[in-house]
Amino acid sequence: MSSSDLAAVVVTVCVVVALVALIAVLTQAFALMREFRRKLEDFDSKVGPALSQLADTAEMAQAEIGRLRDLLNIAQKVAGLAESAGAATARVAATPVDKVRSAISVLRGAQTGGTGQRGKAEEEGRETGSGGESTAAGSESRGR
């Protein structure tokens, strides 16, 4: 056996070993690809319906958000109307209350002014001797 024959045998054995190793790696790769494909199909069968449900839920949520936005706009309008109605009611109610207050103050002013003049008349009546009648009239007006 010459060195060239030995080299040919060594190269042939190395090539066969490399081919066996390559075939083993390719077999493992194909098995891994089949397993990956099965897992992907399983994932798709489970996640596909969930994604469609999620899309439906998102659409419903979007519709509810739109309704809520409309409801908030209506609530703001109602609050504005209630505020303006409250202010208008306060203005309307304030006018009669102010008139009643002014009437009361006028009546009080008239009562104190009239009592002062009657009191003077009573004192003059006492001095003249006819104080009995004017004192009773003065008491009645003071009681009112």
Side-chain angles (χ1 to χ4, degrees):
M1 216 187 221
S2 69
S3 63
S4 62
D5 290 335
L6 184 62
V9 170
V10 170
V11 169
T12 305
V13 171
C14 286
V15 168
V16 169
V17 170
L19 281 175
V20 169
L22 183 63
I23 289 172
V25 168
L26 287 175
T27 305
Q28 284 290 48
F30 285 132
L32 185 63
M33 292 288 272
R34 273 187 243 118
E35 182 68 24
F36 182 67
R37 184 175 289 142
R38 267 187 252 127
K39 294 285 183 182
L40 188 61
E41 288 172 357
D42 195 32
F43 178 78
D44 188 39
S45 68
K46 290 180 181 176
V47 172
L51 284 177
S52 65
Q53 287 177 350
L54 183 63
D56 293 342
T57 304
E59 287 176 16
M60 288 178 6
Q62 191 68 21
E64 291 300 320
I65 287 171
R67 289 182 191 152
L68 184 61
R69 188 176 299 128
D70 294 342
L71 183 63
L72 286 174
N73 289 337
I74 290 170
Q76 285 177 343
K77 289 178 183 177
V78 167
L81 289 174
E83 184 178 336
S84 63
T89 303
R91 282 192 308 267
V92 167
T95 302
V97 170
D98 290 341
K99 289 185 178 185
V100 168
R101 283 184 185 155
S102 65
I104 289 172
S105 65
V106 167
L107 289 174
R108 283 186 181 159
Q111 184 181 12
T112 55
T115 307
Q117 291 174 354
R118 286 185 185 141
K120 290 178 184 177
E122 287 176 11
E123 290 178 13
E124 290 175 5
R126 285 185 197 153
E127 292 174 2
T128 59
S130 62
E133 293 174 5
S134 62
T135 306
S139 299
E140 287 178 15
S141 66
R142 285 185 199 147
R144 291 182 192 167

